[in-house]
Amino acid sequence: MANEILTPVLTAVVYLICWYLLHKKITAFLKNTERANLRLAFKALKAPIFIAVSIVPLTPFIEMAFKHYGMMDHFPRAVAVYFLTLVTWFISNIISLVETRLSNSNRDDMDLTLVSALSKLAKFVLFSCFILVLLSKIGVKLEALLAFSGISGLIVGLAFKDIASNLMAAAVLYIEQHIAVGDWVEVPAVEVSGTVIDIGWRVTTLLTFDKRPLYLPNSLFITNVIVNPSRMHNRRILERFKIELSQPDLIEDALIRVRRFLEENPSVDTTEKQTTLVAVDNIEPDGSGATVLIYCFTYTISFTRYHEIKQDVILGVLRELQACGLSIATNKIQMVDQKKILTNME
């Protein structure tokens, strides 16, 4: 009896030592090789192979346990399920590693949303096939299962209709791609905005300006208006400057200079496809000043770069106005003598 126990234990120890040495050699080899596919395959195989190597020496113990409980007829079926699980585990690892590799490739033509969608779809198909094969291996009749799933599916669908709607919304988002990973989006209905960092089966994760993650149900994105500034071609600059009317003859020359400044600015899109407007918008009723309207578009859509250009435009317009002898009008406050008011009240 002692030999029956000692032999498998020693065999297991030898197996693990051999696996450790082999793992060390392979790791050293892969560090020096440029074949990324080999590294990817080994990383996916590492955990399943370790489990397989650990279990093989223990097979006699497992077989003895099946004999002891009178379940020897089920032993081949258990072995098949075991290897099926390892293969599924390996394929799932491959899918995850390929997704990670593609997502980190930094290629401009890489659609991260599509990569994520294909990865999730591949895993869904993989685990669906795994469950179907597993059920057939343990003796469940698929015909009866499908008949039962029709009734149970209706019950589950009614009970989890919100989850089902989010799953369908995820499919619509993946197909239509109104939003994608990396886009800055706004949802006016719930007053939230942020960068899309993940589109899951049930929720979409946004990262706000202050780096807080928001988890929004997918159905929110197909039942409400979504603003996606990341899909813009240009950003608009709309500013108004109130200038004094002490020298109205200088205004026309100032507008020409401001217009020329915008046309010479390489960051401002003054082509025919965009509207560039420099004009007097209105005159204040009290004659305190005239409002000059500046309306133009930038080439960039980057939030940070846009504000840098906007600052440059505002300061440039102020310089051009001052160069023409015009100054910004200020609100004039009439100072009233408090003693005079009290005297009149008496």
Side-chain angles (χ1 to χ4, degrees):
M1 183 68 180
N3 291 334
E4 292 180 357
I5 298 175
L6 184 61
T7 301
V9 171
L10 291 177
T11 305
V13 173
V14 172
Y15 265 69
L16 291 176
I17 292 175
C18 292
W19 166 246
Y20 172 75
L21 295 175
L22 181 62
H23 177 270
K24 195 172 181 180
K25 289 286 186 182
I26 295 176
T27 303
F29 168 75
L30 293 176
K31 283 183 179 179
N32 299 322
T33 184
E34 296 181 356
R35 300 179 66 178
N37 293 333
L38 284 178
R39 291 197 298 268
L40 186 71
F42 179 72
K43 193 172 182 180
L45 276 170
K46 185 166 60 175
I49 288 179
F50 175 76
I51 297 298
V53 170
S54 304
I55 293 295
V56 167
L58 302 178
T59 303
F61 289 112
I62 299 173
E63 190 173 357
M64 289 170 56
F66 272 83
K67 285 181 180 179
H68 178 74
Y69 290 103
M71 301 174 61
M72 198 59 195
D73 294 339
H74 300 289
F75 183 72
R77 191 177 298 168
V79 173
V81 170
Y82 167 69
F83 281 106
L84 175 65
T85 304
L86 289 180
V87 171
T88 305
W89 188 5
F90 165 67
I91 298 175
S92 176
N93 287 346
I94 285 286
I95 295 172
S96 298
L97 291 172
V98 169
E99 178 188 5
T100 302
R101 183 179 174 186
L102 293 176
S103 300
N104 297 333
S105 61
N106 295 324
R107 290 172 51 185
D108 295 335
D109 58 345
M110 185 62 63
D111 190 338
L112 299 181
T113 305
L114 181 60
V115 170
S116 176
L118 292 177
S119 173
K120 289 180 173 65
L121 180 61
K123 286 184 179 180
F124 176 76
V125 173
L126 173 65
F127 289 117
S128 298
C129 294
F130 169 73
I131 292 173
L132 291 176
V133 176
L134 177 65
L135 292 175
S136 65
K137 289 294 181 182
I138 62 178
V140 177
K141 294 183 179 180
L142 296 181
E143 295 83 1
L145 180 65
L146 292 174
F148 174 74
S149 64
I151 301 173
S152 60
L154 178 61
I155 298 174
V156 172
L158 292 174
F160 299 96
K161 60 179 181 179
D162 291 336
I163 295 178
S165 66
N166 288 323
L167 291 174
M168 293 300 298
V172 172
L173 291 176
Y174 283 129
I175 293 171
E176 297 186 350
Q177 295 191 1
H178 294 313
I179 63 174
V181 175
D183 286 353
W184 175 270
V185 297
E186 301 172 1
V187 189
V190 291
E191 297 182 350
V192 298
S193 60
T195 303
V196 180
I197 59 176
D198 181 61
I199 301 176
W201 288 116
R202 194 181 67 84
V203 297
T204 294
T205 307
L206 302 184
L207 194 65
T208 62
F209 258 129
D210 53 359
K211 303 304 179 184
R212 291 184 301 168
L214 295 178
Y215 303 95
L216 304 176
N218 291 330
S219 58
L220 185 70
F221 291 90
I222 62 173
T223 57
N224 292 281
V225 174
I226 304 298
V227 181
N228 191 345
S230 299
R231 304 291 175 88
M232 295 189 302
H233 299 289
N234 304 82
R235 278 185 179 270
R236 185 185 68 174
I237 296 177
L238 175 61
E239 294 295 329
R240 289 179 171 86
F241 298 83
K242 185 179 178 182
I243 59 176
E244 293 182 349
L245 285 176
S246 57
Q247 295 177 298
D249 297 338
L250 301 177
I251 295 179
E252 186 174 357
D253 291 337
L255 297 181
I256 294 174
R257 289 184 60 125
V258 171
R259 175 79 186 203
R260 186 184 305 118
F261 162 73
L262 293 177
E263 291 175 348
E264 293 175 353
N265 192 322
S267 300
V268 177
D269 186 359
T270 56
T271 58
E272 293 182 357
K273 65 178 182 179
Q274 302 297 347
T275 301
T276 303
L277 184 61
V278 180
V280 175
D281 192 29
N282 69 310
I283 303 294
E284 296 296 326
D286 58 358
S288 59
T291 301
V292 175
L293 173 68
I294 306 297
Y295 185 95
C296 59
F297 290 86
T298 65
Y299 282 108
T300 185
I301 62 170
S302 168
F303 181 81
T304 305
R305 179 62 183 148
Y306 162 74
H307 280 279
E308 292 174 353
I309 297 171
K310 182 179 179 181
Q311 173 183 281
D312 179 61
V313 168
I314 292 174
L315 295 178
V317 170
L318 290 176
R319 285 194 298 268
E320 295 298 333
L321 293 176
Q322 290 177 356
C324 292
L326 296 174
S327 58
I328 301 298
T330 57
N331 293 327
K332 298 179 180 179
I333 302 175
Q334 184 179 4
M335 304 300 294
V336 180
D337 189 352
Q338 187 177 5
K339 292 182 179 180
K340 186 176 181 181
I341 294 177
L342 294 175
T343 303
N344 293 333
M345 290 178 63
E346 293 176 354

